[in-house]
Amino acid sequence: MLIPHPLLGPRDAQEFTYLGDASLMARPDPTRADAEAAFSDYVFLRDNPAGVHRELWFHEQGDRSWLVVTRDTVTHEILGAELARDVKLSREGME
Amino acid sequence: MTDLTPITALGAETARMQDFGVLRIAESTDLALASLSLRAGQDAPTPFGLTLPDAGGWASQDGQAAFWTAPGQWMVEAEGRAVEDFAAALKAEAPGCSITEQTDGWVTFEITSERATSLEALMQKLVNLDPACLSCGTAARTGLEHMSVYLIRRSDTCLAVMGMRTLADSLWHTLATAAARLPSEA
Amino acid sequence: MTRLSGGLIDRDTTFAFRFNGKTYKGHPGDTLASALLANGVQLMGRSFKYHRPRGVFSAGSEEPNAMVELREGARKEPNTRATVAELYDGLVARSQNHVGPLKYDLLALNDLFAPFFAAGFYYKTFMWPRAFWEKLYEPMIRNAAGLGRLSMEADPDAYDKGFLHCDLLVIGGGAAGLAAALTAGRSGARVILADEDFQFGGRLLAESHLLDESPAPEWVAKTEEELRSFPNVRILPRTTVFGVYDHGIYGAVERVSDHLADPGDQVRQTLWRITAKRAILAAGATERHIPFANNDRPGVMLAGAMRAYVNRWAAGPTHKADDPVAIFANNDDGHRTALDLMAKGVPVLGVIDPRADAPQLGDYELFAGAVVDETKGRLGLSSIRVTQNGKSQWHRCGALGVAGGWNPNVHLTSHHRGRPVWDETLLAFVPGQGGPSGLIPAGAAAGNGSTAAAMKSGVEAAKSALEQLDILSVSTPLPKAEDDASVQAAFWHVPGKGRAWVDFQNDVTVKDIALAHKENMRPVEHLKRWTTLGMATDQGKTANISALAVMAELAEKSIPETGTTIFRPPYTGVSLSVLGGGDTGADFRPRRLTPTHHWAKAQDAVFVEVGPWMRAQYFPRPGEVHWRESVDREAKAVRAGVGLCDVTTLGKVDVQGADAGEFLNRLYSNMMGTLAVGKVRYGLMLREDGHAYDDGTCARLTEDHYVVTTTTANAGPVYRNMEFARQCLWSELDVQLISTTDAWAQIAVAGPKSRALLERIVDDFDLSNEAFPFMGCAELTICGGLRARLFRISFSGELAYEIAVPARYGHALMERLMEKGADLGVTPYGTEALGVLRIEKGHAAGAELNGQTTAQMLGLGRMVSQKKDAIGAIMSRREGLAEDRRRLVGLKPVDPASTVTPGAHLFAEGAARSMETDQGWITSAAFSPHVGSSIGLGFLEEGDARMGEILVAANPLEGQETRVEVVSAHFVDPEGVRLRD
């Protein structure tokens, strides 16, 4: 597979390490009353869609950027890739 | 000056150099390295007058050079300053930045050839990068035989391969094996 | 000899080669098959199941029959197709799959028992008695099965891999592929042209057609020359593109020196991983046959292959030059073979065509509305029976060309769930929708079979690819070429009583398919497994469609209704050697050497692999015969004097930034932000699920600069997690990370005399306990000005330091410390002694931090701060985890002579050995020279409250039981006085 790195262009997937669902970026607020339940969901429960999936890839043998890659798990088509840091910062900006 | 005698990454007193047809692989031992990272909200400095390059770029000027390593992070190179505290010198040039000494984190093999095509032919056997990522003035990090390396194209006739210092022997072995196998017309 | 005139062989050079011990002659340009045919050799092997005599059937990689063991000794390669084995001087080959000589195969007996070997034979026969399977059936089958035999020696050759990138990959260098490559090459695109053959041209080399009034090979040569002149075009002959992977990645094997007797300095094969923006599949087509009774005798071959042998290789298909040749064709294309044979002076018996209205294309006898329905000839075809209008007649015949139509080579288009579709006009499957994106079929592979249509389709495919890439295409004038549509009848097999072979290599006949149908194994997937159709090394390239047609006829369905066959990679077999590629032995994977590696080697250290690292395990001294003598000596030397150990392998991460402290607070379970400058703190990281993950130290060099260490094993993953935290969780924090593991050589200086030793190398630095107490850190200079970092930390429990210098000085520093400490008894120690010292001190390591343990279990519960959040903090308090009452304890054998074994489980004395009574397990053990016996660490239920209790450590795997006493995990200096001294 080729991962379209937003800064470096297409790079072979072998340069990357896969983590999983991008929902891992949404770490629950530890001060919530139900924090333990929220963390339990966060740690153990993931969607596993046949289709479009937003997921985390680490450019380990590259620039060490974490990317949010949108991939169709059925066709392996990659619909986009963003720097996770940008995604995180813009999401926080919206909140 | 310390009275301790350094050894090269390959474990010798002097740098190793070997010719393979038109290719020459030479270990560089006098290159000082330090990483430079921007603090939050900081503008890129111009250490030693260098304009720090964009993603994938390498820029050099008067014996110093820098290549992009990550968003907001560069590796700064200085020829002939390996035994100095180059990180301290860079810190003075880039106040406020996070500077980390990297000189001995890496082994650098400068590969030269009169023919650019032979450098490219060698890299085709070693790294899965489009040759466009290896044009003059670029630097890329990638995997090479399960080792993480920086490839810096300093000129048409020179390509530096920078690998983790503790992997120097394995990296040399890999480069030398591939270079020896290149057909003579390459 | 049946060598004819002409052909693309170099008659000026003669090669001698051996087949089954006999010497023959051939020429450059020959394949083993063509050279054998030219020598009148028709019999080339035996079939898999029935051991029937077999000859060459095709002229390419689809070959089912002519498989040989090529070369000798360690280079012997079984199951090599003679049709693609390029001839070289001195080539040696043997036929395979027979016992005794090829002509008198003892296992030919199997053929007499054919009724017992029908479809599903294995499933039906070897079912019972069950006990017979392992002892009798399997060895018997294994002995009889398998085609060629391996040399059983290590492969002596080197294999390589490489990576290519291009705009356009053209797969196949025939008419369509060359036209496509030429168009794209002239347009300036980066092109790779690959063909499995050693000569470009594909069918253009096999046909007698002219291109612009000249023989086609002339145009091929001219085109190849032009392509070679383009710097933007790379030509890869002898290269099979075997598979398509995601996003335009193609796997290809280049047979660099398979055509040489000995590769010399070159590699044998190269595995290319080609990243192509677009690709054109111009893989041509494979001819199919028409099954009829006893159609498998040597001399029966595909009509197109026969044309190739005659035209390209000047090799007649018969045993003797004057034996007549017949053609059995259901289409016009087959008739051409008769014309080409006649043009070369080969006697032609005639063309047998089941079509009543078959065309007469030349001056040969035409048997219209006729079929071949039986053959004779023990080791080669001698006669055929032709049945026309109900009348049968035998004819003397030395070879028969069979033409049943052409199947486009759609293989690669079906690699990504692409399904070929049936074309009623072509009577063949052609590439369908779906399949690999960016792969464009062209030429015969797309069903454009005539030379003109193939070339045109190649140009069009290239233009379409270039347009998609925004590359302006230049026009490519094409030579004038034949454009005959081959009219074809849907005639699939000749019905009859005899056995009609469909899949030659696996001996599957029409009868087997009928039986599968009768036994309801009708879906193609079942048919395949029941009969083994298409499961041989040729993957049924010449058989699958015929089989499908027979099944369709039996099921009274159309072919597309019956099913389709799709293909997985590889297109043809790929050797494991080339897939493995690269180095073997010691260079199999990269090895990390510590900065003192060469020094340790000079001391005759014994090394151990620790992940990618080579570490000194122990340093034997003269007279020490057992490793434990060395290890005990090293461990004792540390406790009594001073020892040195290279600990560079620990991961080191530089953490800087205004929020570095806060960042580390969130990573480590304990507080790091409050650490004073010039201090080190032990840190524990949890996983987000609450389990203990990794430990190490944090040193605060300045207000906004920390250096943290990780365990050796987790250096990579911990750094990755730190970057995850920085970029994905808390990107608002001002923190910068970079690994510095390799930059610093770090040496542990441990033991009561460590301070005395260090005092001899530091430059004007106060090492006294007051000035530089336990858990202090400092940047300083040593040995006359060398910058260094000093940490007062201890893994051994003794007064100890770790000193770091730029890596290039590690070797010299070790030498200096050895020299300066000689009178102090300084001793280098390896990982074994390191392990002994830490077990004696009760420090957790990999066996304790195994991903299943918690901070509480490790006795580090207080390190999980309740005042702040950190990764894993919330989940560490969850139900089930927080209540875990197993605790780290020390274990000592009651009988000091017995041994504590890691992995043993702990039980109360007299209790049954069961899950319910299990009290814990032993994680680490070593012989402790300090205690004077074997000791261990382990996790025990309520362990912290059970000191002095006697338990049984049971290791039922080895029938071992040891009575052990529960003691403190700190066997040495439990109060921790020494390290603070």
Side-chain angles (χ1 to χ4, degrees):
Chain A
M1 294 210 291
L2 296 178
I3 305 295
H5 192 294
L7 301 173
L8 299 168
R11 289 299 193 95
D12 196 272
Q14 288 191 345
E15 289 181 357
F16 293 80
T17 303
Y18 181 76
L19 180 63
D21 193 338
S23 69
L24 281 170
M25 292 171 69
R27 190 173 183 271
D29 175 359
T31 61
R32 277 165 62 165
D34 63 344
E36 196 183 311
F39 268 88
S40 185
D41 284 358
Y42 169 72
V43 172
F44 297 116
L45 300 182
R46 307 263 198 293
D47 287 337
N48 183 21
V52 176
H53 189 225
R54 278 166 64 80
E55 56 198 21
L56 288 161
W57 291 74
F58 182 51
H59 198 196
E60 185 134 44
Q61 294 199 327
D63 74 342
R64 309 289 172 125
S65 282
W66 277 96
L67 303 184
V68 176
V69 175
T70 308
R71 182 176 66 103
D72 187 322
T73 58
V74 176
T75 63
H76 287 190
E77 186 188 358
I78 292 185
L79 305 160
E82 304 154 271
L83 292 176
R85 200 158 192 274
D86 291 350
V87 172
K88 186 76 183 177
L89 288 172
S90 67
R91 193 174 295 165
E92 268 161 20
M94 285 188 299
E95 275 166 12
Chain B
M1 271 300 281
T2 178
D3 58 351
L4 291 181
T5 310
I7 61 168
T8 70
L10 291 169
E13 285 175 20
T14 53
R16 192 183 297 180
M17 184 171 85
Q18 197 176 334
D19 290 339
F20 303 86
V22 295
L23 284 170
R24 166 167 291 181
I25 307 181
E27 181 187 6
S28 163
T29 56
D30 66 352
L31 190 67
L33 296 170
S35 62
L36 183 160
S37 299
L38 299 181
R39 295 276 170 111
Q42 200 180 12
D43 290 329
T46 53
F48 311 107
L50 272 172
T51 300
L52 297 174
D54 291 337
W58 176 79
S60 77
Q61 188 180 305
D62 306 331
Q64 280 93 17
F67 58 92
W68 183 93
T69 52
Q73 189 193 67
W74 292 263
M75 188 79 87
V76 182
E77 306 175 280
E79 286 169 26
R81 302 179 68 172
V83 296
E84 290 174 36
D85 189 352
F86 176 65
L90 179 61
K91 194 144 189 93
E93 289 282 325
C97 293
S98 293
I99 307 292
T100 302
E101 172 166 347
Q102 290 286 345
T103 301
D104 282 358
W106 304 88
V107 61
T108 307
F109 297 118
E110 304 280 343
I111 309 177
T112 49
S113 169
E114 296 155 19
R115 276 180 278 171
T117 49
S118 59
L119 292 175
E120 278 145 25
L122 181 70
M123 286 302 117
Q124 276 174 350
K125 286 296 182 76
L126 296 172
V127 295
N128 190 3
L129 278 184
D130 193 315
C133 297
L134 293 173
S135 57
C136 284
T138 63
R141 188 175 193 169
T142 190
L144 189 160
E145 201 70 49
H146 305 282
M147 295 175 275
S148 190
V149 294
Y150 285 110
L151 303 174
I152 306 155
R153 189 64 179 270
R154 303 199 193 278
S155 71
D156 257 354
T157 57
C158 177
L159 177 95
V161 178
M162 211 177 260
M164 289 153 76
R165 183 179 175 99
T166 55
L167 283 167
D169 275 49
S170 293
L171 183 56
W172 175 275
H173 168 81
T174 301
L175 295 175
T177 303
R181 280 178 185 165
L182 275 193
S184 47
E185 71 269 20
Chain C
M1 282 291 287
T2 59
R3 187 66 91 179
L4 310 169
S5 62
L8 302 171
I9 50 170
D10 173 14
R11 287 168 202 263
D12 294 338
T13 307
T14 298
F15 288 159
F17 69 98
R18 280 194 294 142
F19 177 65
N20 285 346
K22 200 175 162 194
T23 302
Y24 299 94
K25 285 180 176 148
H27 299 289
D30 262 325
T31 62
L32 174 59
S34 73
L36 284 172
L37 274 184
N39 281 282
V41 178
Q42 282 185 315
L43 177 62
M44 296 190 194
R46 291 274 175 172
S47 72
F48 180 61
K49 198 155 72 171
Y50 301 136
H51 290 252
R52 301 261 298 182
R54 289 288 164 78
V56 69
F57 188 67
S58 74
S61 60
E62 68 271 33
E63 177 60 28
N65 284 345
M67 310 232 296
V68 298
E69 292 170 1
L70 192 68
R71 304 170 196 268
E72 292 177 302
R75 290 204 168 87
K76 183 169 89 169
E77 195 175 347
N79 307 337
T80 303
R81 291 148 295 172
T83 50
V84 294
E86 197 174 339
L87 196 69
Y88 55 84
D89 197 34
L91 179 147
V92 177
R94 302 197 73 87
S95 56
Q96 51 190 41
N97 213 39
H98 51 89
V99 176
L102 175 58
K103 285 186 183 172
Y104 309 100
D105 177 10
L106 297 176
L107 281 177
L109 208 63
N110 280 7
D111 198 28
L112 300 177
F113 295 102
F116 300 103
F117 292 154
F121 159 70
Y122 288 94
Y123 306 112
K124 293 167 184 166
T125 310
F126 297 118
M127 300 285 288
W128 25 247
R130 199 184 167 90
F132 275 31
W133 178 253
E134 237 175 77
K135 291 269 165 6
L136 182 66
Y137 293 151
E138 193 184 322
M140 196 174 84
I141 294 168
R142 286 199 183 281
N143 188 42
L147 296 160
R149 311 252 165 204
L150 291 166
S151 72
M152 303 311 283
E153 291 177 55
D155 190 332
D157 294 328
Y159 295 79
D160 208 355
K161 63 174 181 308
F163 309 90
L164 297 174
H165 294 76
C166 63
D167 296 318
L168 184 67
L169 168 66
V170 181
I171 303 160
L178 287 172
L182 199 57
T183 305
R186 285 179 181 171
S187 307
R190 290 189 301 163
V191 179
I192 293 170
L193 171 65
D195 195 291
E196 59 178 353
D197 203 337
F198 53 91
Q199 285 191 15
F200 285 96
R203 286 299 301 179
L204 291 175
L205 306 178
E207 305 291 357
S208 55
H209 305 307
L210 300 179
L211 290 177
D212 276 348
E213 322 300 326
S214 303
E218 286 180 19
W219 181 81
V220 172
K222 204 177 70 185
T223 304
E224 188 183 335
E225 199 187 321
E226 182 177 344
L227 289 170
R228 284 187 189 279
S229 75
F230 293 136
N232 53 318
V233 176
R234 181 168 185 139
I235 304 274
L236 291 172
R238 302 184 178 96
T239 301
T240 304
V241 177
F242 62 78
V244 191
Y245 303 90
D246 289 308
H247 307 150
I249 294 168
Y250 294 79
V253 170
E254 181 183 5
R255 288 172 294 279
V256 180
S257 51
D258 274 14
H259 60 295
L260 305 173
D262 185 326
D265 293 338
Q266 293 195 56
V267 296
R268 178 78 182 272
Q269 301 180 346
T270 299
L271 179 72
W272 291 108
R273 187 181 166 103
I274 303 174
T275 306
K277 290 178 181 147
R278 293 291 182 278
I280 290 175
L281 180 69
T286 302
E287 197 170 23
R288 58 192 180 223
H289 65 112
I290 307 170
F292 58 90
N294 291 309
N295 58 332
D296 66 329
R297 297 194 196 281
V300 180
M301 68 176 75
L302 294 167
M306 197 179 266
R307 264 193 333 262
Y309 285 117
V310 169
N311 291 326
R312 176 174 171 185
W313 287 293
T318 54
H319 177 52
K320 286 193 288 247
D322 56 354
D323 288 341
V325 181
I327 304 300
F328 179 28
N330 67 4
N331 60 74
D332 298 1
D333 180 70
H335 290 235
R336 288 177 177 169
T337 309
L339 301 178
D340 286 357
L341 288 165
M342 292 190 307
K344 292 273 187 176
V346 177
V348 170
L349 164 69
V351 177
I352 299 106
D353 192 325
R355 296 176 295 176
D357 59 347
Q360 176 91 41
L361 300 183
D363 184 22
Y364 50 81
E365 187 172 348
L366 176 66
F367 300 83
V371 295
V372 177
D373 57 7
E374 185 56 283
T375 68
K376 282 185 194 163
R378 196 177 76 86
L379 299 173
L381 187 67
S382 63
S383 49
I384 59 171
R385 189 172 75 190
V386 177
T387 297
Q388 192 176 24
N389 304 323
K391 274 188 231 160
S392 297
Q393 196 175 1
W394 284 94
H395 298 268
R396 187 170 76 91
C397 180
L400 177 70
V402 183
W406 293 82
N407 293 320
N409 288 333
V410 299
H411 303 67
L412 265 55
T413 67
S414 58
H415 282 186
H416 289 179
R417 313 170 110 218
R419 289 194 84 80
V421 294
W422 184 252
D423 184 312
E424 203 48 58
T425 316
L426 292 170
L427 295 174
F429 283 102
V430 295
Q433 295 300 306
S437 67
L439 178 67
I440 308 166
N448 304 298
S450 79
T451 311
M455 286 181 149
K456 188 161 163 264
S457 128
V459 170
E460 278 165 7
K463 281 186 171 168
S464 137
L466 294 177
E467 195 183 324
Q468 291 168 32
L469 299 175
D470 289 325
I471 298 171
L472 198 65
S473 55
V474 300
S475 71
T476 309
L478 291 173
K480 195 167 166 302
E482 65 82 25
D483 197 12
D484 305 330
S486 175
V487 181
Q488 192 184 163
F491 183 86
W492 298 103
H493 72 112
V494 181
K497 282 190 186 158
R499 280 179 295 165
W501 267 262
V502 178
D503 180 328
F504 292 98
Q505 194 174 129
N506 263 0
D507 274 330
V508 181
T509 64
V510 170
K511 277 186 180 172
D512 291 320
I513 298 169
L515 187 62
H517 175 257
K518 204 163 114 189
E519 292 175 338
N520 206 26
M521 294 294 173
R522 293 176 190 178
V524 280
E525 293 81 3
H526 291 174
L527 169 67
K528 179 175 170 179
R529 278 150 191 88
W530 200 235
T531 63
T532 72
L533 174 102
M535 288 168 74
T537 61
D538 62 339
Q539 293 284 288
K541 287 193 177 67
T542 55
N544 289 349
I545 304 299
S546 302
L548 204 56
V550 172
M551 183 56 98
E553 190 182 292
L554 293 165
E556 294 176 348
K557 285 183 185 170
S558 71
I559 289 174
E561 278 168 354
T562 307
T564 171
T565 54
I566 57 167
F567 306 89
R568 278 182 287 237
Y571 176 64
T572 53
V574 177
S575 78
L576 289 175
S577 300
V578 74
L579 287 176
D583 286 304
T584 54
D587 295 308
F588 178 67
R589 63 172 188 174
R591 294 191 307 182
R592 298 181 76 174
L593 307 183
T594 66
T596 61
H597 181 86
H598 299 282
W599 176 83
K601 210 169 170 182
Q603 311 305 308
D604 296 322
V606 172
F607 290 92
V608 58
E609 281 186 34
V610 181
W613 293 95
M614 294 300 286
R615 295 190 73 180
Q617 192 175 13
Y618 54 96
F619 296 80
R621 283 210 183 145
E624 290 173 349
V625 291
H626 191 278
W627 63 270
R628 242 201 52 211
E629 291 179 68
S630 313
V631 174
D632 289 356
R633 171 182 50 75
E634 290 170 16
K636 282 197 251 180
V638 172
R639 300 237 181 269
V642 56
L644 303 174
C645 183
D646 189 325
V647 293
T648 305
T649 59
L650 295 174
K652 309 179 198 75
V653 183
D654 212 47
V655 183
Q656 299 194 43
D659 298 322
E662 173 59 20
F663 179 72
L664 295 175
N665 269 348
R666 298 184 192 187
L667 281 180
Y668 286 93
S669 67
N670 49 329
M671 204 67 95
M672 290 300 172
T674 55
L675 185 65
V677 171
K679 289 287 178 189
V680 188
R681 187 169 286 166
Y682 175 73
L684 179 69
M685 283 186 186
L686 305 181
R687 293 195 314 229
E688 194 70 278
D689 69 3
H691 284 101
Y693 174 45
D694 198 67
D695 66 348
T697 57
C698 279
R700 193 168 199 170
L701 297 179
T702 65
E703 189 61 30
D704 54 2
H705 187 182
Y706 289 77
V707 173
V708 307
T709 66
T710 72
T711 59
T712 299
N714 277 336
V718 166
Y719 181 79
R720 187 189 308 152
N721 286 352
M722 290 174 78
E723 284 288 9
F724 178 76
R726 185 179 79 93
Q727 297 176 38
C728 301
L729 298 181
W730 303 302
S731 48
E732 73 283 3
L733 295 183
D734 176 30
V735 58
Q736 295 82 39
L737 304 174
I738 195 158
S739 166
T740 62
T741 303
D742 284 38
W744 298 88
Q746 197 147 318
I747 296 172
V749 184
K753 295 177 183 167
S754 55
R755 182 182 290 124
L757 175 55
L758 284 176
E759 274 169 349
R760 298 174 184 183
I761 63 159
V762 295
D763 300 338
D764 197 23
F765 184 84
D766 186 356
L767 281 168
S768 69
N769 209 21
E770 296 70 38
F772 194 66
F774 180 55
M775 298 312 262
C777 71
E779 293 180 285
L780 73 168
T781 66
I782 63 166
C783 299
L786 178 63
R787 60 196 180 281
R789 289 172 177 173
L790 189 64
F791 310 90
R792 190 169 160 192
I793 49 181
S794 176
F795 198 48
S796 57
E798 301 299 327
L799 168 69
Y801 303 81
E802 289 185 13
I803 183 160
V805 292
R808 66 182 64 200
Y809 294 101
H811 178 102
L813 174 61
M814 186 62 107
E815 282 180 334
R816 179 64 52 88
L817 288 167
M818 287 299 292
E819 179 198 322
K820 295 273 186 189
D823 61 318
L824 304 172
V826 67
T827 302
Y829 63 102
T831 53
E832 285 298 328
L834 189 75
V836 170
L837 294 167
R838 73 99 189 163
I839 293 170
E840 286 180 341
K841 186 61 188 168
H843 276 313
E848 288 76 33
L849 289 160
N850 72 346
Q852 299 171 301
T853 55
T854 64
Q856 285 84 358
M857 288 171 73
L858 290 160
L860 303 173
R862 278 184 304 172
M863 285 188 70
V864 183
S865 167
Q866 305 298 315
K867 293 185 213 141
K868 65 170 179 94
D869 177 43
I871 287 179
I874 297 282
M875 292 295 270
S876 72
R877 296 168 203 145
R878 71 185 148 119
E879 198 186 335
L881 222 57
E883 291 82 34
D884 198 310
R885 285 295 304 147
R886 289 174 294 193
R887 292 293 177 267
L888 188 70
V889 294
L891 298 155
K892 209 163 78 170
V894 174
D895 171 7
S898 59
T899 307
V900 178
T901 310
H905 278 240
L906 301 168
F907 296 93
E909 283 196 289
R913 310 279 181 262
S914 72
M915 291 288 283
E916 290 69 35
T917 56
D918 190 303
Q919 302 268 300
W921 72 98
I922 298 175
T923 52
S924 304
F927 179 84
S928 163
H930 176 80
V931 177
S933 75
S934 171
I935 59 166
L937 298 176
F939 292 105
L940 177 66
E941 294 286 347
E942 312 281 351
D944 45 354
R946 297 172 70 177
M947 294 301 143
E949 225 178 281
I950 306 294
L951 298 169
V952 174
N955 177 14
L957 281 180
E958 303 196 3
Q960 236 177 34
E961 298 212 341
T962 312
R963 293 179 73 226
V964 292
E965 182 190 346
V966 181
V967 296
S968 158
H970 309 292
F971 294 89
V972 170
D973 186 27
E975 297 79 25
V977 175
R978 296 186 192 178
L979 40 74
R980 291 186 169 81
D981 216 1

